[in-house]
């Protein structure tokens, strides 16, 4: 029975494999820096993003389509920061743009149907080690900016404006916990959304394969609807890829706003 | 779940390469390229704003000139109308004068003609009288054989004609 089952493990796609015998690369004791498939896709994301923005640097007065596209993205981030933070938000455009585009390109590249030609894209945003580091960077910026600009006064963030004095001992710990949860919610949201989507696609594809292997009847009954559903879910995943990148960037902007404009 | 199962083996590699590649992205794309893209956008916005301002200034200048032209035009029209009215008045006065002169001439001619007619009539009447006097003398001489003197005959004729 076990031999008849197709070998579709929905989790296998998240496996990290060192490439080209790099598994012994270390930086000091126990700090392995093997160049994995995950690192490979980070490299690809960086290169593709670089080429994308490079195409928008022709600096023409009347932009072509590509330049228009790049300028739309920079304008989008610029507007988002200005709407949420104000004029001071301008200086965070390089970081938030890099963050948004890096996550967006990682999500989209991870969805490419390269399995057709035998290469398997790896979505590194489905690893909480990666999303966690990005969330910690965003959170660190919030802390640095907050303490830099407001000093210890930044702690007044935990006392919302207009809190009655007797309520402060109760409100402050709650606010503190909600503040400290931010990096986790930031990291877990992206990681869970990306992983869930890929698992769902993999499970549906296993239905298609197993159903078709079980005969024409099952193929039509199970395989075909699953396949149609997969097409729909793929479209949904493209949407999720954009939305999750946007949410990450937007929440980063909102958190930076807390630090920049305290209350 | 490889994310957890491989965590101990791979976290350092993940963190390291993410920092490397996200760092490159941030430094190169975010810090070098994005400001250039945004400055292009700002330049274009500035250019568009400047062009719009120039167009607005040009339109205002055109409006101003049109207004000035209108004022001048109105002045010219008023002047022209004044000239036309003056010419009309002059012409009217001239023709009136001419008409008056012609009227005078015609009246004079008429008066002359009437005078001439009156003279002619008087002459004719005098002739008729003298003819009548001679005729009366002749008639009386022939019928009565009486020779009537001219003054008597004349008196008789005058009486008869005054009655007639």
């Amino acid at each position: 029975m076990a031999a008849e089952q197709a070998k579709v493990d929905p989790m296998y796609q998240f496996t990290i494999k060192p490439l080209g015998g790099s598994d012994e690369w270390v930086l000091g004791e126990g700090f392995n820096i093997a160049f994995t498939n995950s690192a490979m896709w980070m490299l690809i994301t960086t290169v593709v993003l670089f080429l994308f923005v490079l195409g928008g640097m022709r600096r023409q007065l009347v932009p072509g389509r590509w330049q228009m596209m790049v300028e739309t993205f920079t304008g989008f981030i610029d507007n988002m920061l200005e709407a949420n933070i104000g004029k001071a938000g301008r200086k965070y455009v390089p970081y938030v743009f890099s963050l948004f585009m890096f996550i967006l390109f990682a999500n989209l590249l991870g969805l490419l149907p390269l399995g057709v030609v035998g290469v398997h894209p790896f979505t590194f945003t489905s690893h909480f080690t990666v999303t966690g580091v990005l969330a910690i960077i965003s959170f660190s910026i919030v802390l640095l900016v907050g303490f830099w600009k407001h000093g210890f006064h930044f702690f007044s963030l935990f006392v919302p404006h207009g809190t009655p004095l007797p309520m402060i001992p109760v409100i402050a710990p709650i606010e503190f916990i909600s503040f400290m949860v931010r990096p986790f919610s930031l990291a877990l949201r992206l990681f869970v959304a990306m992983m869930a989507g890929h698992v769902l696609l993999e499970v549906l594809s296993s239905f298609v394969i197993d159903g078709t292997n079980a005969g024409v009847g099952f193929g039509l009954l199970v395989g075909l609807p699953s396949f149609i559903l997969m097409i729909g879910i793929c479209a949904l995943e493209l949407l999720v890829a954009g939305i999750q990148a946007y949410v990450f960037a937007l929440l980063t902007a909102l958190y930076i706003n807390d630090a920049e404009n305290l209350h | 779940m490889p994310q957890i199962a491989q965590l101990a083996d791979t976290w350092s590699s993940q963190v390291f390469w993410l920092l490397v590649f996200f760092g490159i992205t941030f430094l190169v794309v975010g810090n070098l390229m994005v400001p250039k893209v945004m400055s292009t956008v700002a330049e274009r916005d500035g250019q568009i704003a400047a062009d719009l301002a120039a167009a607005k200034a040009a339109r205002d200048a055109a409006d101003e000139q049109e207004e000035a032209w209108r004022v001048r035009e109105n002045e010219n029209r008023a002047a022209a109308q004044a000239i036309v009215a003056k010419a009309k008045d002059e012409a009217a006065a001239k023709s009136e004068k001419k008409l008056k002169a012609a009227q005078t001439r015609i009246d004079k001619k008429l008066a002359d003609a009437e005078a001439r007619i009156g003279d002619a009539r008087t002459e004719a009447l005098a002739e008729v009288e003298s003819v009548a006097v001679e005729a009366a003398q002749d008639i009386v001489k022939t019928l009565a054989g009486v020779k009537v003197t001219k003054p008597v005959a004349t008196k008789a004729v005058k009486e008869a004609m005054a009655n007639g």
Side-chain angles (χ1 to χ4, degrees):
Chain A
M1 195 65 192
E4 285 173 15
Q5 279 176 348
K7 283 173 186 166
V8 179
D9 176 5
M11 286 311 196
Y12 181 71
Q13 57 179 326
F14 303 117
T15 310
I16 294 173
K17 284 167 283 184
L19 300 176
S22 63
D23 31 342
E24 294 308 318
W25 292 3
V26 285
L27 268 187
E29 188 63 36
F31 199 89
N32 180 288
I33 54 157
F35 192 80
T36 60
N37 49 352
S38 174
M40 182 55 143
W41 282 89
M42 290 176 199
L43 171 64
I44 292 170
T45 301
T46 306
V47 170
V48 172
L49 179 54
F50 173 78
L51 293 177
F52 175 73
V53 181
L54 190 69
M57 294 222 332
R58 269 173 294 170
R59 320 206 63 180
Q60 283 165 346
L61 192 62
V62 179
R65 289 175 192 204
W66 197 309
Q67 193 184 340
M68 197 72 219
M69 208 152 52
V70 176
E71 284 172 1
T72 306
F73 275 113
T74 58
F76 168 68
I77 297 294
D78 190 31
N79 287 338
M80 187 177 84
L81 287 175
E82 192 163 329
N84 288 312
I85 304 177
K87 284 283 166 213
R90 267 261 151 124
K91 59 178 171 288
Y92 302 104
V93 168
Y95 172 68
V96 178
F97 180 83
S98 308
L99 188 70
F100 173 74
M101 296 304 274
F102 195 70
I103 295 173
L104 179 67
F105 274 54
N107 293 350
L108 291 177
L109 289 171
L111 278 172
L112 286 181
L114 295 181
V116 177
V117 291
V119 202
H120 290 283
F122 182 90
T123 318
F124 59 83
T125 43
S126 64
H127 276 250
F128 59 78
T129 36
V130 172
T131 61
V133 169
L134 292 176
I136 287 169
I137 294 173
S138 285
F139 192 65
S140 310
I141 290 175
V142 172
L143 289 180
L144 286 174
V145 171
F147 283 112
W148 185 271
K149 280 200 70 154
H150 305 288
F152 286 110
H153 191 61
F154 185 53
F155 286 114
S156 71
L157 185 67
F158 304 132
V159 183
H161 198 64
T163 312
L165 201 63
M167 293 297 284
I168 288 178
V170 186
I171 297 278
I174 295 172
E175 287 287 326
F176 178 71
I177 290 167
S178 92
F179 181 75
M180 293 311 288
V181 159
R182 281 175 180 183
F184 295 97
S185 71
L186 208 52
L188 289 177
R189 183 181 298 113
L190 176 58
F191 146 66
V192 166
M194 294 324 293
M195 195 185 83
H198 284 262
V199 169
L200 185 56
L201 284 176
E202 198 80 12
V203 169
L204 285 173
S205 71
S206 81
F207 287 171
V208 176
I209 294 164
D210 288 350
T212 313
N213 284 347
V216 179
F218 277 110
L220 288 176
L221 193 69
V222 178
L224 195 65
S226 298
F227 186 69
I228 293 166
L229 186 60
M230 265 184 85
I231 296 171
I233 301 267
C234 277
L236 183 71
E237 283 308 306
L238 288 174
L239 185 70
V240 169
I243 288 177
Q244 287 303 325
Y246 174 62
V247 166
F248 204 106
L250 180 68
L251 286 176
T252 299
L254 288 175
Y255 296 160
I256 291 176
N257 176 46
D258 277 348
E260 187 74 35
N261 314 309
L262 194 57
H263 293 318
Chain B
M1 197 163 160
Q3 286 94 330
I4 295 171
Q6 292 185 305
L7 184 60
D9 293 334
T10 60
W11 71 270
S12 51
S13 149
Q14 291 276 71
V15 171
F16 176 77
W17 289 111
L18 177 68
L19 289 179
V20 168
F21 289 122
F22 185 67
I24 291 172
T25 302
F26 174 63
L27 291 177
V28 176
V29 176
N31 272 307
L32 291 181
M33 296 163 89
V34 168
K36 279 189 184 144
V37 173
M38 287 179 66
S39 76
T40 309
V41 176
E43 239 167 63
R44 182 182 313 126
D45 288 351
Q47 175 94 50
I48 289 171
D51 285 357
L52 280 178
K56 192 172 179 297
R59 198 188 57 197
D60 288 351
D63 281 354
E64 221 166 78
Q65 279 187 3
E66 196 193 337
E67 191 57 42
W69 172 81
R70 204 185 297 285
V71 168
R72 220 164 48 233
E73 185 71 11
N74 284 344
E75 277 169 9
N76 287 349
R77 186 169 295 141
Q81 269 168 357
I83 289 171
V84 168
K86 203 177 151 205
K88 220 184 245 171
D89 286 354
E90 272 172 12
K94 221 178 198 172
S95 67
E96 205 174 324
K97 219 161 107 191
K98 257 187 187 160
L99 274 175
K100 216 180 228 167
Q103 189 68 47
T104 320
R105 228 166 37 237
I106 288 167
D107 285 353
K108 201 180 156 214
K109 254 186 189 163
L110 218 61
D112 283 358
E114 270 172 6
R116 265 205 315 279
I117 289 168
D119 287 355
R121 190 194 275 148
T122 321
E123 261 168 42
L125 276 177
E127 216 153 290
V128 167
E129 214 177 281
S130 75
V131 169
V133 169
E134 276 170 20
Q137 275 178 320
D138 284 351
I139 291 165
V140 170
K141 193 177 165 190
T142 314
L143 289 178
V146 182
K147 204 166 176 199
V148 181
T149 55
K150 204 172 180 180
V152 177
T154 304
K155 200 183 158 207
V157 166
K158 264 188 185 160
E159 268 173 20
M161 278 179 84
N163 290 340

